[in-house]
Amino acid sequence: MGRGILRIYLGAAPGVGKTYAMLSEAHRRVERGTDCVVAFVEHHDRPRTEVMLHGLELLPRRELEYRGTVFTEMDVDTVLERAPAVALVDELAHTNVPGSRNAKRWQDVEELLRAGIDVISTVNIQHLESLGDVVESITGVRQRETVPDEVVRRADQIELVDMSPQALRRRMAHGNIYRPDKMDAALSNYFRPGNLTALRELALLWVADRVDEYLQQYRGEHNIRSTWQARERIVVGLTGGPEGRTLIRRASRMAAKGSGSEILAVYIARSDGLTSASPKELAVQRTLVEDLGGTFHHVIGDDIPAALLEFARGVNATQIVLGSSRRKTWQYIYGPGVGATVARESGPDLDVHIVTHEEVAKGRGLPMARGARLGRARIIWGWLVGVVGPVLLAVVLRGMEDAPGLANDVLLFLFLTVAAALLGGVRPALASAAVGSMLLNYWFTPPTHTLTVQDPENLVAIVIFFAVAVAVSSVVDLAARRTHQAARLRAESEILSFLAGSVLRGETALDALLDRVRETFAMESVALLERSSDVEPWTCAGSVGPAPVTRPDDADVDMPVGDNMALALSGRVLPAEDRRVLGAFAAQAAVVLDRQRLVGEAEQARRLAEGNRIRTALLAAVSHDLRTPLAAIKAAVSSLRSDDVAWSDEDEAELLEGIEDGADRLDHLVGNLLDMSRLQTGTVTPLIREIDLDEVVPMALGGVPEGSVDLDIPETLPMVAVDPGLLERVVANIVENAVKYNPGQEPVAVAASALGGRVELRVVDRGRGVPDEAKERIFEPFQRYGDAPRGAGVGLGLAVSRGFAEAMGGTLDAEDTPGGGLTMVLTLTAAPGGIRAEAELPARATS
């Protein structure tokens, strides 16, 4: 039995009509005679959806009791036993009640699909697991019920149920989605126009990417090489030169003119040695591309125009952006250039843009690191010019009626010898000299058609020709080699200078360094391997590129670093002269790895030292501050239990009150200690939601005497995005600290105000204040200004408050109060939109 087909109706928000569309499809299939049943559909008391259930077979649900309440879930066994052709299963991201067959409903759907049953389901874009953080930043609501993206991507059919935000809000205002008592809260919170527009864009882009995957798969299966311009994709061809930044910015402006356009920057490196680009410049251009929302690609290819066009067609690009050539006019004798070749061979499906820049016609200069090798193409041309050229020249000269003379013939053959030396080096030039000498002797030196030379002058001319040809070819070849060696040394010096600079700058990004190695040597993958001893297996300390090797023996090139570390490269075999630069890279990689580990160990040591300091302070607090209320409680309890004294009702009440006060002090101290330990271990996870300050701040003032605080929170203040519980603890600690140090002539002022996208809560006291040099120290754990003995704290209140504030994305700072005293400034993030809600939308809303 084959696997069933999964069809999903995807929506941007609850209420767009996913369930309605699913039920409409079910009715169409039933009319065609398809065996279709409703395994689980939730209509949420929406009359239009409920009517669509009429005429469809509804399978019984399974009842489960959880915490005294009975819930109904889809009965997977019943569906499998019924074995319909199509089953309708609503709310794919739903979490099943504990005790169900599977934890999530999508797992139930997987069982049905494996049984060969086709499934039609629904899901909202906010329930996709990868978009949880994005949706929370937009709506302020964290979706607890999610479904893995891969489950939805594997669906055979995905249909977007779309609706404009205005139409959806009208549908809600008519009472078609929520009950009237929830309508206002929903419209002013989750269903704000901005939220719905952003969610709609997310859904459209996600479906567009899925459609693009289908398109790529179809083109691959049918071997379609031409470009289908369904979406603008702009490929930027980079050379590693300074003009690359101009090209990237120009492509970005072009992409901005069309919604959904993509930028793909590609650098094509030759496979015959070190690349001609500066690794530093390539790194800058890679960062620029990524900052502008594009992607950077590294491709290896000897024929740059062909490799660029192959890449562009492979990604279904529609436009190519290239820079005007940096060649000087005379350099075009070597060929038309990359831009002209790409434009000529791009065909009608690819638009090629040639962008001018400041480096036009300034000369490309010598290759920075191509090595002394001339390449196969140049060597072949050198042999053709050196061997075939003299033969063709002899044929041409023999066919001329008026011969130019032996002297001119010698010069023409000498020209071919020099050309052969320039193209192919000394060997083709020597062959050219030998062939030219024989042809001159046989065809042009009397007696002709024989290798005998009658006139001694002609013999001298031929000998001089051969000697000059050999000398000139040797000099030309030596000059070419010296030029290439100079270019290599210049490239090596630049790379070594860059490595030295990175050491001085203290760069510790191992992956970035390995990526530079891969780009510099045109490799497929690079890995840094290490082992603890000669008998231990190799482990990978860092790698870049696809399929890195796990052993140096498997690599094309390996560079040992000490006894138990090696840099392994895959892609091609490097010549010996490249290993010197590779050795510098390997040494730098080892240094970077050691530095990373030292930084980690230093951070771990710092944390251990901080933990030891806190534990020492905690012991001091336990031995002193915690014993004080314990001693008071112990004394009061001992007094009450004493049979020697007859306590009056007033005395007993006073002693009991002392016990209660001591217990409250202990509870407060222990609470702060626990909060500090949570902050130190990083286990504080705030649950951010939108709330008004006037809902939290008054609750935080319950622990201070009545009349000691003057509260001023305007009603027009925007909502804040905070964790209400943490905010209450922060405000309570700050206010209690201010009241404790306030002299008492006037109450502590607690006032709030809005500033841009932030909300400030200021707690003002008129105490003795804190000097500037001590304002940061009062936020450290177990610190009390002046080590004042009075009070019940251990010096954790402000430290805990700042930690909670920063965990919520806010700040807590101390300022001087004008006229004397201290002002605590709590800065919080205003909620998006800043609209105050009269009611709260439920955390989960599904359709």
Side-chain angles (χ1 to χ4, degrees), residues 15-27:
V16 295
K18 303 180 302 300
T19 305
Y20 190 93
M22 178 180 67
L23 294 173
S24 299
E25 175 65 19
H27 280 286

Side-chain angles (χ1 to χ4, degrees), residues 270 304-305 308 322 325 327 336-344 354 364:
R270 297 183 184 273
I304 293 180
L308 181 61
L322 299 173
S325 179
R327 291 180 173 188
V338 174
T341 304
V342 171
R344 183 181 67 246
I354 305 297
R364 297 189 57 167

Side-chain angles (χ1 to χ4, degrees), residues 35 93 144 254 272 357 371 412 428 497 547 711 792:
D35 182 15
R144 301 299 175 188
M254 294 168 59
D272 60 350
H357 49 83
L412 290 174
S497 174
L711 187 61

Side-chain angles (χ1 to χ4, degrees), residues 204-359:
L204 291 170
L205 291 176
W206 195 92
V207 173
D209 288 337
R210 178 61 175 152
V211 172
D212 192 61
E213 292 177 9
Y214 281 133
L215 180 60
Q216 293 289 358
Q217 180 181 355
Y218 179 84
R219 295 177 74 242
E221 292 174 351
H222 293 77
N223 196 26
I224 299 174
R225 306 299 299 165
S226 61
T227 300
W228 287 3
Q229 301 184 5
R231 182 176 182 180
E232 289 292 336
R233 285 188 176 87
I234 304 174
V235 171
V236 184
L238 301 179
T239 65
E243 77 281 0
R245 307 182 198 182
T246 303
L247 303 184
I248 293 169
R249 294 189 179 97
R250 181 72 178 101
S252 177
R253 291 195 297 271
M254 294 168 59
K257 296 178 181 179
S259 179
S261 299
E262 290 184 63
I263 303 176
L264 301 93
V266 58
Y267 171 72
I268 300 175
R270 297 183 184 273
S271 61
D272 60 350
L274 297 172
T275 63
S276 60
S278 167
K280 182 177 180 181
E281 182 63 29
L282 276 179
V284 171
Q285 294 176 14
R286 177 197 292 269
T287 302
L288 178 60
V289 170
E290 294 173 350
D291 290 343
L292 294 175
T295 56
F296 184 92
H297 303 268
H298 184 273
V299 177
I300 297 175
D302 291 325
D303 190 341
I304 293 180
L308 181 61
L309 289 171
E310 181 71 18
F311 174 82
R313 294 192 175 101
V315 299
N316 200 29
T318 57
Q319 301 181 58
I320 297 178
V321 176
L322 299 173
S324 296
S325 179
R326 286 180 286 155
R327 291 180 173 188
K328 293 184 180 295
T329 304
W330 64 269
Q331 290 178 313
Y332 281 95
I333 63 175
Y334 296 115
V338 174
T341 304
V342 171
R344 183 181 67 246
E345 299 180 359
S346 60
D349 54 347
L350 271 174
D351 296 335
V352 180
H353 303 267
I354 305 297
V355 179
T356 59
H357 49 83
E358 296 179 353
E359 304 296 322

Side-chain angles (χ1 to χ4, degrees), residues 3-173:
R3 180 182 173 86
I5 296 175
L6 176 60
R7 179 188 181 110
I8 292 179
Y9 287 93
L10 178 69
V16 295
K18 303 180 302 300
T19 305
Y20 190 93
M22 178 180 67
L23 294 173
S24 299
E25 175 65 19
H27 280 286
R28 285 192 293 271
R29 298 199 181 197
V30 170
E31 291 175 359
R32 295 196 300 263
T34 304
D35 182 15
C36 184
V37 300
V38 177
F40 187 95
V41 169
E42 190 64 61
H43 56 74
H44 295 287
D45 296 327
R46 297 169 185 169
R48 295 178 181 272
T49 305
E50 187 174 3
V51 169
M52 293 296 294
L53 288 171
H54 297 165
L56 298 176
E57 179 184 350
L58 277 66
L59 295 184
R61 301 183 184 182
R62 182 183 179 189
E63 294 186 353
L64 296 169
E65 184 176 352
Y66 181 66
R67 293 183 178 179
T69 304
V70 177
F71 298 89
T72 60
E73 295 287 1
M74 180 177 67
D75 195 333
V76 179
D77 292 328
T78 300
V79 181
L80 293 175
E81 182 179 356
R82 171 64 174 77
V86 180
L88 307 185
V89 182
D90 205 3
E91 299 179 0
L92 186 64
H94 172 73
T95 300
N96 293 331
V97 175
S100 301
R101 184 189 187 97
N102 296 301
K104 303 288 289 188
R105 184 164 293 164
W106 64 264
Q107 296 171 327
D108 296 337
V109 169
E110 283 294 316
E111 283 199 41
L112 301 182
L113 293 174
R114 287 196 297 268
I117 301 174
D118 294 349
V119 177
I120 304 178
S121 187
T122 64
V123 71
N124 282 329
I125 192 68
Q126 64 264 29
H127 293 297
L128 294 183
E129 199 168 74
S130 66
L131 300 178
D133 295 338
V134 179
V135 173
E136 183 180 6
S137 66
I138 295 172
T139 65
V141 177
R142 182 68 180 182
Q143 298 295 333
R144 301 299 175 188
E145 294 187 332
T146 60
V147 58
D149 289 46
E150 185 60 26
V151 174
V152 183
R153 286 186 179 275
R154 285 202 308 263
D156 301 277
Q157 301 174 34
I158 300 176
E159 182 171 335
L160 178 66
V161 182
D162 189 28
M163 178 175 287
S164 68
Q166 295 77 11
L168 183 57
R169 285 172 59 85
R170 284 196 302 270
R171 175 180 288 186
M172 175 167 288

Side-chain angles (χ1 to χ4, degrees), residues 129 336 400 427 538 560 725 728:
E129 199 168 74
M400 297 176 61
R427 292 182 180 179
W538 291 93
E728 183 179 346

Side-chain angles (χ1 to χ4, degrees), residues 264-490:
L264 301 93
V266 58
Y267 171 72
I268 300 175
R270 297 183 184 273
S271 61
D272 60 350
L274 297 172
T275 63
S276 60
S278 167
K280 182 177 180 181
E281 182 63 29
L282 276 179
V284 171
Q285 294 176 14
R286 177 197 292 269
T287 302
L288 178 60
V289 170
E290 294 173 350
D291 290 343
L292 294 175
T295 56
F296 184 92
H297 303 268
H298 184 273
V299 177
I300 297 175
D302 291 325
D303 190 341
I304 293 180
L308 181 61
L309 289 171
E310 181 71 18
F311 174 82
R313 294 192 175 101
V315 299
N316 200 29
T318 57
Q319 301 181 58
I320 297 178
V321 176
L322 299 173
S324 296
S325 179
R326 286 180 286 155
R327 291 180 173 188
K328 293 184 180 295
T329 304
W330 64 269
Q331 290 178 313
Y332 281 95
I333 63 175
Y334 296 115
V338 174
T341 304
V342 171
R344 183 181 67 246
E345 299 180 359
S346 60
D349 54 347
L350 271 174
D351 296 335
V352 180
H353 303 267
I354 305 297
V355 179
T356 59
H357 49 83
E358 296 179 353
E359 304 296 322
V360 174
K362 290 186 177 180
R364 297 189 57 167
L366 296 172
M368 293 179 57
R370 290 285 308 280
R373 297 172 303 280
L374 298 175
R376 179 179 299 178
R378 287 189 58 178
I379 292 176
I380 292 175
W381 276 106
W383 281 101
L384 289 175
V385 172
V387 177
V388 180
V391 175
L392 296 178
L393 178 61
V395 172
V396 172
L397 293 177
R398 289 291 296 176
M400 297 176 61
E401 295 182 358
D402 297 329
L406 181 61
N408 292 327
D409 294 341
V410 170
L411 291 177
L412 290 174
F413 279 99
L414 182 62
F415 171 76
L416 290 179
T417 302
V418 173
L422 288 172
L423 289 173
V426 67
R427 292 182 180 179
L430 292 177
S432 177
V435 173
S437 300
M438 294 179 63
L439 292 175
L440 283 171
N441 186 5
Y442 188 82
W443 290 103
F444 304 103
T445 304
T448 59
H449 299 60
T450 179
L451 295 179
T452 303
V453 180
Q454 183 176 3
D455 190 346
E457 294 181 358
N458 294 337
L459 178 62
V460 171
I462 293 176
V463 171
I464 293 176
F465 161 75
F466 185 80
V468 170
V470 172
V472 170
S473 62
S474 300
V475 170
V476 170
D477 180 73
L478 180 63
R481 291 181 180 274
R482 290 290 183 265
T483 300
H484 284 291
Q485 290 173 2
R488 167 173 290 280
L489 292 175
R490 184 177 64 181

Side-chain angles (χ1 to χ4, degrees), residues 668 672 691-704 709-711 713 720 722-739 748-752 759-764 797-798 800-802 804-805 808 811-812 824-828:
H668 181 74
N672 277 338
I691 198 169
D692 295 321
L693 275 182
D694 54 11
E695 296 181 24
V696 178
V697 176
M699 298 173 60
L701 306 181
V704 298
V709 175
D710 183 11
L711 187 61
I713 299 181
V720 292
V722 295
D723 184 313
L726 296 184
L727 179 59
E728 183 179 346
R729 295 292 302 277
V730 171
V731 176
N733 282 342
I734 298 173
V735 173
E736 289 175 7
N737 189 75
V739 171
V748 171
V750 179
V759 175
E760 289 187 352
L761 182 70
R762 309 178 77 87
V763 180
V764 183
L798 293 181
V800 170
S801 297
R802 172 172 275 190
F804 283 173
M808 295 184 293
T811 58
L812 178 61
M824 290 291 178
V825 182
L826 175 63
T827 306
L828 303 170

